[in-house]
Amino acid sequence: MDENSINIPEIFGSLVFNDEVMKKTLPEDIYVSLHKTIAEGKELDTSVANHVAAALKDWAISKGATHYSHWFQPLTGITAEKHDSFIYALDNGGAIMDFSGKELIKGEPDASSFPSGGLRATFEARGYTSWDPTSYAFIKDNCLCIPTVFRSYSGEILDMKTPLLRSMELINKETLRILKFFGLSDVKHVVPTVGPEQEYFLVDKRQAKKRRDLILTGRTLFGAKPPKGQELDDHYFGALRPRVEAFMQELDLELWKLGVYAKTEHNEAAPAQHELAPIFVAANIAADHNQLTMEKMKVIAEKHGLLCLLHEKPFEGVNGSGKHNNWSLRTDTGINLLKPGKNPAANKLFLLILTAFISAVDKHQDLLRITVASASNDHRLGGNEAPPAIMSMFIGTDLEQILSAIASGESTDNLTKREKMNLDVSALPEFSRDTADRNRTSPMAFTGNKFEFRMPGASFSIAEVNVVLNTIVSAELASCAERLESSPDPDTEIDRIISGNYLNHKRIIFNGNNYSAEWEKEAQSRGLLNLKTTVDALPYLTTPGNISLFSSSKIYTKAELLSRQEILYDKYAKEIIIEARTMLEMSKRLIIPGVLKFSAALTSALNNRKNIGFPCEGSAEYEILSRIDPLVSSMLRFADDLSAHVENINNIEGTVQKADYCAHTIIPAMSSLRNAADSLEELVGQDYWPIPTYADLLYGV
Ligand code: ADP
Ligand code: MG
């Protein structure tokens, strides 16, 4: 081996207190007990905690850690941590490094500054973090991070992780009920597996720092179209530029140390856009890992003189960034329940899970839309590249033929063979054609052995999305299980369920182009929801049906759902107000003054002409000035309007009303202001334009 080459298997997970380390450092009975908790979700025996704490501390110190932190995912959508050192004071003035089981199990961060959506008044600020042993502890920046869940003093959940774990238990339970009817009683545990593909932009940090909009809001609030966009499609999978390559190498290395299976890195469709895909893992681990991935992307980008943008739509007119949530179900015996196998038509278990999924998506379009709703993702959904705001599914023609044959009682014999792909080059291996071709425009595509949900935004936590997927599929599986359990002839019942689910919910299946205007019409005639914006979608979160779905499945209480809704409205309005204020500041202090300088230069040129007796009217200076002048006046007027609207928000009572006001008054006012500025950008001399342009940013690395 080359002496400079890195030994990846050795590095992989070197900062993680994983199963192998546990086995090495824990007494055998303790290890067995902890392993059960992790693998099967069995309740943790508290006496185990002291042993684990001691082993964790020694291991962490041996890796250079001095502090520990309860690492959790509050409702901000990002992670939180508060560092405590292992130091323990001795009476003689000395110190030892100590860490008890109690400190491992429970933490008490000051919870008052985390969003609770009215669940917890600030005077009862107490919230607890408690150890989540299902996710491995790891070391980040010399700090031992202990994954925890976060709840209020009175037990309401204040984080993203608890409902995710609950939903995983639920889907495990309901799937096991089904598997019994397929002779799979040996399966003890089923987990939803998730592989989130993460898209992001990298821009030059020095350029980006000159734009307050990028720094404060993560997206450009102004910017005329660059001469070259993505029309040549020359960026997708293109060769990496050296700085980007160095960034990706370091990112991979740091993620591998943390046990994240970073796998595929490539350029995306838009200039300066890239993607990282990890190998799938259990949903809760995937949620943790995705948070770490986003965090590392930001930190490592800075080291390479780059700024990593995770915003869903950093540049208007250029593809935005999503996070494709690939989801499937896997048994502890290694079966992927969404794998069609060689003969999908005869694979009744697969067809049952598939149609349960179809039914779940059709019945709960609203919830899926809500899990991807945010001010930032609104710019992406329904744009010309991302999936539209209408929920639909793609399953491919092969599977649809099979389902429709079963539903109409026809034979599926001719539909069972999977064709081989023949590339007509004898040196190339033959491979089976996927059961489903690609449809890049579908919001929820079956991609051979998993569903790829493409609506989530790049900056989102994937926890909520998977809570919803797990919960709605569980509800379907529960009703299938009830039918099977009470049927005298389960085999026939299985066929009935498959055809019933398909026939009742096939309106959600759409294999065509989701971006087309015809689809919007067609979807409407099929009765599908088209919730264009966050404020259109959010009211659905607390419909009686949804309250009952979540409370009966013990994922969220009604109060918890209401609080989440409140947080989402609040966040939406706050983000838009921050954007509006940033636009105002940039307009009044940068853009307008810059334009005025240019106008002044033109005016003085005109004066010079006049002084030497040259005609002014009809001169280039005159022409340009007369185009700029009305635009800059209207820009000023639009800024004043926006400013008045922003002030007015204080007079509006209620979070919902504030959010509606942002959607219907602030956003249009922002858009008028932007249009005026963008038109000016095309007229004002480069030396006078005070901020880097789209071309500077998109082609600056
Ligand atoms: P594609 O080209 O269809 O996007 P990949 O094989 O690159 O396919 O997979 C994309 C993502 O889907 C990866 O993160 C991968 O780990 C994930 N994935 C693959 N199989 C599964 C599965 N069974 N469950 C969840 N995610 C999966
Ligand atoms: Mg994909």
Side-chain angles (χ1 to χ4, degrees):
M1 207 194 272
D2 184 329
E3 60 180 291
N4 293 322
S5 68
I6 36 173
N7 184 342
I8 296 170
E10 197 172 77
I11 281 172
F12 189 84
S14 57
L15 295 177
V16 182
F17 193 71
N18 56 22
D19 198 63
E20 202 185 316
V21 184
M22 286 178 196
K23 211 176 207 158
K24 263 194 231 147
T25 57
L26 292 170
E28 198 181 329
D29 54 327
I30 302 289
Y31 166 76
V32 170
S33 166
L34 183 61
H35 186 82
K36 270 220 161 73
T37 302
I38 295 168
E40 292 168 31
K42 291 267 176 317
E43 203 171 314
L44 184 82
D45 176 356
T46 39
S47 69
V48 167
N50 278 325
H51 285 280
V52 179
L56 257 175
K57 179 204 69 183
D58 291 342
W59 171 79
I61 290 172
S62 80
K63 296 271 174 187
T66 50
H67 287 67
Y68 72 91
S69 164
H70 276 198
W71 187 76
F72 59 104
Q73 304 184 20
L75 299 174
T76 51
I78 52 172
T79 57
E81 47 194 87
K82 171 181 150 226
H83 296 191
D84 279 303
S85 74
F86 288 119
I87 280 191
Y88 182 82
L90 294 177
D91 289 341
N92 65 6
I96 54 166
M97 300 295 258
D98 194 36
F99 185 49
S100 68
K102 208 175 124 226
E103 287 165 308
L104 167 63
I105 288 187
K106 191 171 137 194
E108 216 176 316
D110 175 10
S112 56
S113 325
F114 294 107
S116 79
L119 269 185
R120 190 208 49 235
T122 26
F123 58 85
E124 11 167 327
R126 239 168 339 160
Y128 293 111
T129 49
S130 52
W131 180 32
D132 163 20
T134 61
S135 198
Y136 297 138
F138 56 89
I139 293 171
K140 186 165 65 73
D141 308 323
N142 294 330
C143 182
L144 170 68
C145 295
I146 300 153
T148 54
V149 296
F150 182 43
R151 64 191 86 200
S152 76
Y153 183 63
S154 41
E156 284 98 0
I157 46 183
L158 297 174
D159 72 345
M160 305 273 203
K161 196 65 177 296
T162 315
L164 179 58
L165 293 171
R166 286 181 183 167
S167 71
M168 289 172 73
E169 277 180 21
L170 180 70
I171 203 162
N172 170 50
K173 185 179 101 194
E174 304 302 353
T175 315
L176 288 178
R177 283 171 75 188
I178 299 283
L179 295 185
K180 291 212 180 70
F181 292 91
F182 293 87
L184 291 172
S185 328
D186 58 325
V187 173
K188 287 203 192 60
H189 198 69
V190 177
V191 287
T193 49
V194 171
E197 298 165 66
Q198 176 74 51
E199 292 178 335
Y200 59 98
F201 279 84
L202 288 176
V203 293
D204 181 76
K205 189 165 91 177
R206 266 176 321 164
Q207 296 273 25
K209 291 256 148 120
K210 293 185 196 148
R211 297 213 34 157
R212 206 152 297 175
D213 47 1
L214 278 181
I215 300 304
L216 296 182
T217 73
R219 76 174 179 114
T220 53
L221 299 168
F222 298 100
K225 273 210 176 77
K228 174 176 189 260
Q230 59 193 66
E231 48 281 275
L232 293 179
D233 284 329
D234 53 354
H235 191 253
Y236 193 55
F237 281 25
L240 298 177
R241 277 179 296 264
R243 195 144 50 121
V244 172
E245 189 166 5
F247 158 84
M248 286 184 179
Q249 268 174 14
E250 187 174 345
L251 178 63
D252 279 342
L253 195 65
E254 291 304 312
L255 290 176
W256 291 336
K257 287 184 195 164
L258 288 167
V260 178
Y261 292 99
K263 171 86 174 161
T264 317
E265 305 241 27
H266 61 78
N267 284 351
E268 255 304 326
Q273 193 184 31
H274 311 278
E275 179 187 292
L276 181 148
I279 298 174
F280 65 92
V281 288
N284 59 326
I285 308 294
D288 283 2
H289 284 179
N290 184 249
Q291 290 285 358
L292 287 172
T293 302
M294 291 194 286
E295 185 179 326
K296 286 288 170 195
M297 279 178 169
K298 296 209 149 194
V299 173
I300 293 168
E302 295 249 348
K303 283 173 68 180
H304 292 264
L306 300 164
L307 186 72
C308 171
L309 303 173
L310 293 173
H311 193 285
E312 282 71 19
K313 195 74 179 176
F315 302 99
E316 208 167 273
V318 172
N319 273 7
S321 299
K323 177 139 52 194
H324 299 172
N325 191 84
N326 293 275
W327 184 99
S328 189
L329 281 175
R330 187 180 168 87
T331 69
D332 58 349
T333 53
I335 306 170
N336 175 356
L337 297 177
L338 280 176
K339 190 171 173 180
K342 286 211 175 67
N343 188 354
N347 188 346
K348 291 292 163 68
L349 175 56
F350 162 72
L351 294 174
L352 183 81
I353 305 279
L354 177 77
T355 50
F357 195 96
I358 293 171
S359 167
V361 172
D362 183 37
K363 284 186 192 161
H364 304 287
Q365 298 162 42
D366 55 349
L367 286 176
L368 289 164
R369 174 65 185 87
I370 289 165
T371 61
V372 300
S374 74
S376 51
N377 211 21
D378 277 356
H379 296 290
R380 176 175 162 262
L381 298 178
N384 215 22
E385 94 271 6
I390 305 166
M391 195 63 227
S392 75
M393 302 175 78
F394 170 79
I395 61 168
T397 39
D398 293 8
L399 287 178
E400 197 161 13
Q401 271 174 12
I402 292 174
L403 291 177
S404 108
I406 293 176
S408 52
E410 289 163 25
S411 155
T412 55
D413 289 352
N414 294 329
L415 301 171
T416 54
K417 306 220 170 47
R418 289 180 65 183
E419 291 165 41
K420 294 268 188 223
M421 280 281 241
N422 185 354
L423 300 178
D424 281 333
V425 179
S426 46
L428 298 177
E430 266 194 357
F431 52 88
S432 282
R433 204 163 61 84
D434 275 345
T435 333
D437 193 6
R438 303 256 153 185
N439 180 329
R440 298 240 162 248
T441 69
S442 176
M444 180 75 85
F446 184 70
T447 48
N449 57 4
K450 61 189 187 284
F451 272 103
E452 179 173 345
F453 185 30
R454 302 190 176 122
M455 290 166 98
S459 69
F460 276 58
S461 157
I462 55 164
E464 200 71 21
V465 168
N466 289 294
V467 169
V468 167
L469 284 172
N470 297 342
T471 307
I472 63 178
V473 176
S474 295
E476 282 305 307
L477 295 178
S479 80
C480 297
E482 265 150 44
R483 285 174 64 176
L484 295 177
E485 284 159 4
S486 59
S487 165
D489 179 6
D491 282 345
T492 315
E493 193 63 20
I494 288 169
D495 284 343
R496 278 201 208 111
I497 294 174
I498 293 172
S499 37
N501 273 346
Y502 171 68
L503 290 175
N504 294 331
H505 301 287
K506 66 177 186 183
R507 64 168 186 172
I508 195 78
I509 299 170
F510 177 61
N511 292 335
N513 178 6
N514 283 260
Y515 304 161
S516 68
E518 297 84 71
W519 168 232
E520 203 171 329
K521 273 195 228 115
E522 157 95 23
Q524 193 181 13
S525 71
R526 292 191 191 185
L528 300 179
L529 284 176
N530 185 1
L531 304 171
K532 292 196 165 141
T533 68
T534 298
V535 293
D536 297 329
L538 286 183
Y540 288 80
L541 186 56
T542 50
T543 57
N546 286 335
I547 291 175
S548 136
L549 170 75
F550 283 115
S551 54
S552 68
S553 49
K554 299 202 164 43
I555 304 294
Y556 295 124
T557 61
K558 182 178 175 187
E560 285 164 349
L561 263 189
L562 284 165
S563 82
R564 267 155 213 257
Q565 190 180 37
E566 171 83 8
I567 290 169
L568 290 168
Y569 273 120
D570 186 53
K571 185 164 176 250
Y572 174 85
K574 281 182 177 150
E575 278 175 12
I576 289 172
I577 292 294
I578 290 171
E579 288 189 346
R581 289 207 192 107
T582 307
M583 282 189 100
L584 287 171
E585 193 193 273
M586 288 174 74
S587 298
K588 292 185 173 165
R589 304 194 51 204
L590 276 171
I591 299 180
I592 294 175
V595 178
L596 292 182
K597 254 191 224 160
F598 185 55
S599 308
L602 293 172
T603 314
S604 97
L606 284 170
N607 275 332
N608 290 344
R609 290 181 77 100
K610 209 158 115 215
N611 290 343
I612 55 170
F614 258 58
C616 289
E617 213 157 320
S619 71
E621 291 92 330
Y622 184 90
E623 275 304 312
I624 297 173
L625 190 61
S626 56
R627 284 176 210 178
I628 286 176
D629 222 37
L631 274 173
V632 73
S633 305
S634 57
M635 193 177 162
L636 187 61
R637 204 179 61 244
F638 288 135
D640 287 342
D641 290 349
L642 180 60
S643 181
H645 292 317
V646 168
E647 295 259 308
N648 193 35
I649 192 131
N650 299 321
N651 304 323
I652 291 169
E653 290 286 341
T655 333
V656 180
Q657 290 76 0
K658 280 190 162 78
D660 278 331
Y661 180 75
C662 286
H664 303 300
T665 306
I666 303 274
I667 289 184
M670 285 167 64
S671 159
S672 306
L673 179 57
R674 177 180 185 146
N675 289 341
D678 290 358
S679 309
L680 279 165
E681 187 184 327
E682 288 170 346
L683 293 170
V684 170
Q686 182 179 302
D687 293 344
Y688 294 85
W689 194 251
I691 53 176
T693 63
Y694 268 28
D696 296 334
L697 292 165
L698 290 169
Y699 301 100
V701 174

